[in-house]
Amino acid sequence: MNDKLRDFLYERQSLLNVFIAVFTAMIVGTLVIYFMGYDILESYEALYQGAFKGRFNFGGTLERFVPLLLSGLAFAVASKASIFNIGVEGQLYFGAITAAFFGYIIKGVPSLVHIPVTLLLAAAAGGLWAVIPGFLRAKYNVNEVTTTIMLNYVAIFFVGYIVNHPFKNPNVGVPQTPNVQPTARLPKIMLPSRANIGIFIALALLVFFIWLLNKTTFGYKVRAVGFNPFFTDYVGVKSKLIMVLTMFLSGAIGGVLGGVEVLGIHGYVLDNFSPGYGFDGIMVGLLARNNLKALPFVAFFLAALRSGAINMERFTGVPKEVIGVIEAVIILLAAAEVIVEIKKRKSSDKGGVEVG
Amino acid sequence: MYVEKGVKKLAPIVEMKGIYKEFPNVVALNHVDFSLEKGEIHALIGENGAGKSTLMKILYGIYDQDEGTVKINGEEKNISDAREAMRLGIGMVHQEFMLAETMTVLENIILGFEPNKHKLLDYDKAYSEVMDYSEKYGFEIRPNSKVINISVGEAQRVEILKALYRGAEVLILDEPTAVLTPQETEELFKIIRSLKENGKTIIFISHKLDEVLEIADRITVMRKGNKVETLSQNDATKEKLAYLMVGREVFLDFEIEENEPGDRILEVKNLNVFGRRKLSNLKDVSFEIKEGEILGVAGIDGNGQTELVEALTGLRKVESGEIKIRGEEITNKSPLEIRHHGVSHIPEDRNKTGLCKELTIQENLIANKLPDDPYSSKIGIINFKRVKNFAEELIDKFDIRPPKTDVKMQNLSGGNAQKVIVAREVAEDAGLIIASQPTRGIDIGSIEFIRSVLLDERKAGKAVLLVSADLEEILSLSDRIIVMYEGEIQGTLDIEEANENNLGLMMTGGNPDFKGGVTA
Ligand SMILES: Nc1ncnc2c1ncn2[C@@H]1O[C@H](COP(=O)(O)OP(=O)(O)OP(=O)(O)O)[C@@H](O)[C@H]1O
Ligand SMILES: [Mg+2]
């Protein structure tokens, strides 16, 4: 068999697994809807229409697609270096508050300058925040899962303080920052929905990272460090530096995510504004098995589900939490598959199957 | 029992017929027949990648054959997994060990097959059972020590005992002696013989023809996925086996040219290093190597050789002392800086350190070039065409199989993986090559090749530090030999005065007349 064909089949196989997971989850969802006494066909039709029918609905799907894709990308990039970045949530808060600040404070420049500068600064903020757990992991071997989770709280409360006190919009009663300048807002692409050019930014980042990981020496080093740090140390790659840099990049993607949400959707930062975008990325990354090329499909599917669910609830009364059930099943299956994968890899490492 | 000709023959205990197995890139087994008589010691030999491990993994249920049948005691069986193989009385000790390091020897042996009393683990019973086995077959083991603290030889005895404990009648040993010292090999042979006396059947895979001739009743030779011949020990000679394996004559006796050593390249002075164990702490080690010289480091594994190499290559911290390359201090420099000083390194642990099995052959071949990026643009974009050309050149020169640049390393046989490492490190134009067990687990044709590569490097004025557990290798390549014992240099010998006897004595801490010559 030729190699291209084999790689293709391999990728197909992983896509197939995704479909199996999704399909099973949908069946569970269907059963739930059925036993709650709703009409299945009607519910799914409402779901479908809510996700795709009309500019507003489809725009709603695209709008949800962006954070899912970016947080999935952030998670997947870190995991290429074997780092489990659970801290995207905190990184996006730092990106968001930075974007809100520079979107507001910079005045009198055209959008073409204002938007990129603001997003770059947001990326830097998210990246630097992620460097802390990256450094602790690389230098002192402190488990990054623990540190990123803890730092999420620090980030959320820190931003909470900022929007309540020093940077609160005095004209409104709720804790939120002043609106950013109109020049910083991301142009909408599908009015009346809130979908905006953030989607192009997200896709461009995805393409960039696919390229970076596969075509550059830096990407090679990241993958090699993720696979076998003893090997990279031995050939003279600075494994620890690579880990920290990878964490910076992962955090930077989180920062951009925060920035895109602020400049594209809200125009300001509200206390506790994220419904857990950062954590969604873990699900997206797991389901795509950190295969960057699979990320957009997974993110789009989940975005459509969530967007359609609102419509479904409105027209058929099926609570949109049903989608939460479906997502939970998907996560369980995806996680189970990862575990099986790891076990398989361990036993083949040793040249065989352990008996016992 | 091994049945003489003429007597009515029992069905072979194992009979594999027409076994065909294809992996994505190669036909690993091309309609191979293999039959095993009860009570015999049957050696399986062949070049790296010939398909020995694959054939055995099919017998042990790890792989499924694409075609062919397996009969056990005359009955056709479908061995779906290792548990099934165990049930049929087949046990296997793999090329790489699979013990849980933080558990004790006893726990490892009984894992998954624990005797219990009222649902509780019955340690006393387990202990006495294991001790019974070890007495019966003459094993020396210490059931209560942690696996991490035992030697390779002992770990291997534990693996064998583990298989026996699970009821193995047929025991497959995949290159058991590759990691053993000569003394340990002798011990293993005693065990194998006593297993045979007790009616067990042994399959023994090895690249060392002397061993095969010493221990085997019958020998099956494989080449490139085909079975060449099965012959009885009486009909076999070393030359014949080598010829059958490689398909040409092989010469391991090199004509070593006289070579006037040049300038000093490496100088080590009073090196002190903390080791993995107390016995392997380096204590005041001093020596030097000149251009055009091969310095052999002999010693039983675990007497500080590993630590010495790690300290020289920047992978282990030096407590005190000096390491200089061409007069420049490299003590405690990073591995990268040391490589920049012209040191390349073939590490002893190829799977953990020497390669990245998830990456491709070509990616592994350029790994040590990454820091300086000769295969990429200024901003670090890899030029895949150049990488591929470079890799193809090395694959061709070193006869790496399969000869494809983008096959993942994990699909290579042990010997071919080693060739990738050697190719990478030798291709680097370094002044000093530190070669640790460079031919461990490698077939005779490739050994010939790798040794001649090292001699070529010597001729080209490179210095080689050759660490090897194989005395024959040390004796046939070195200009001078240092012997390490308990972290110290027990003595230095010129090649003319060295032989297996005095080296063996010094390796075990003996003190022939030559003691004291710390530098040469
Ligand atoms: N899991 C695998 N996937 C793909 N190819 C494989 C796999 N395992 C083995 N091969 C290939 O099959 C062939 C036979 O390999 P095998 O490991 O049986 O060789 P071997 O005779 O044991 O060699 P060695 O002496 O080096 O251990 C080799 O070409 C190897 O690259
Ligand atoms: Mg093998």
Side-chain angles (χ1 to χ4, degrees), chain B residues 23-24 26 28 46-54 63 95 175 207 401-402 411-416 441:
Chain B
F23 286 116
V26 284
E47 287 185 288
N48 295 124
K52 307 177 294 292
S53 297
T54 305
Y63 296 146
Q95 230 162 332
E175 294 192 39
H207 290 292
R401 285 177 231 167
N411 296 338
L412 264 57
S413 76
N416 278 300

Side-chain angles (χ1 to χ4, degrees), chain A residues 40-355:
Chain A
I40 294 168
L41 272 184
E42 205 178 288
S43 308
Y44 272 115
E45 190 179 346
L47 182 80
Y48 175 81
Q49 291 191 341
F52 299 111
K53 194 156 178 230
R55 291 170 68 90
F56 180 77
N57 286 338
F58 187 58
T61 300
L62 294 186
E63 173 198 326
R64 287 174 177 80
F65 169 71
V66 173
L68 283 168
L69 176 59
L70 283 175
S71 60
L73 182 63
F75 181 78
V77 164
S79 61
K80 290 289 170 190
S82 265
I83 302 174
F84 221 57
N85 183 6
I86 311 291
V88 179
E89 186 76 0
Q91 292 141 21
L92 85 84
Y93 266 89
F94 265 89
I97 196 68
T98 307
F101 181 72
F102 288 100
Y104 170 74
I105 208 90
I106 299 176
K107 294 190 176 107
V109 296
S111 279
L112 223 52
V113 176
H114 200 173
I115 292 171
V117 167
T118 308
L119 287 180
L120 278 176
L121 289 164
L128 289 175
W129 186 242
V131 160
I132 302 171
F135 176 80
L136 289 173
R137 159 77 192 272
K139 180 87 180 171
Y140 302 108
N141 206 14
V142 181
N143 186 313
E144 74 279 9
V145 174
T146 323
T147 49
T148 50
I149 289 177
M150 294 197 298
L151 286 170
N152 280 341
Y153 289 103
V154 178
I156 294 169
F157 288 130
F158 176 75
V159 170
Y161 164 75
I162 301 274
V163 301
N164 270 294
H165 300 287
F167 197 38
K168 181 175 180 308
N169 184 347
N171 305 325
V172 290
V174 287
Q176 71 178 54
T177 63
N179 281 336
V180 298
Q181 308 299 332
T183 48
R185 295 302 301 261
L186 303 181
K188 304 264 191 299
I189 54 169
M190 206 171 273
L191 287 169
S193 79
R194 297 189 295 181
N196 56 69
I197 62 161
I199 187 171
F200 302 119
I201 297 172
L203 289 171
L205 273 179
L206 174 72
V207 171
F208 172 75
F209 274 97
I210 291 176
W211 173 82
L212 184 77
L213 285 168
N214 294 304
K215 303 288 180 198
T216 68
T217 47
F218 176 75
Y220 173 124
K221 289 178 198 171
V222 171
R223 286 183 294 130
V225 167
F227 288 134
N228 184 354
F230 297 107
F231 170 73
T232 44
D233 280 343
Y234 147 77
V235 290
V237 169
K238 299 196 174 87
S239 311
K240 298 190 162 145
L241 182 64
I242 298 286
M243 278 189 188
V244 176
L245 288 176
T246 309
M247 208 42 190
F248 175 82
L249 291 175
S250 173
I253 299 169
V256 171
L257 163 52
V260 165
E261 282 304 292
V262 168
L263 304 186
I265 306 286
H266 311 287
Y268 52 82
V269 172
L270 185 68
D271 199 1
N272 266 320
F273 78 99
S274 163
Y277 292 137
F279 299 113
D280 288 341
I282 303 170
M283 169 170 61
V284 177
L286 277 180
L287 194 52
R289 298 155 115 218
N290 297 322
N291 175 348
L292 298 202
K293 289 177 193 157
L295 287 176
F297 300 102
V298 171
F300 187 78
F301 170 75
L302 290 171
L305 270 189
R306 289 182 177 184
S307 163
I310 297 168
N311 201 55
M312 181 172 75
E313 182 172 71
R314 189 167 336 132
F315 288 102
T316 64
V318 177
K320 63 179 191 297
E321 282 70 24
V322 166
I323 299 306
V325 173
I326 294 182
E327 286 181 6
V329 174
I330 293 180
I331 293 183
L332 279 179
L333 289 173
E337 205 196 316
V338 169
I339 292 167
V340 170
E341 182 85 346
I342 291 171
K343 275 200 156 168
K344 244 196 241 163
R345 200 179 305 160
K346 281 219 172 110
S347 57
S348 72
D349 276 4
K350 295 169 180 166
V353 188
E354 170 64 292
V355 198

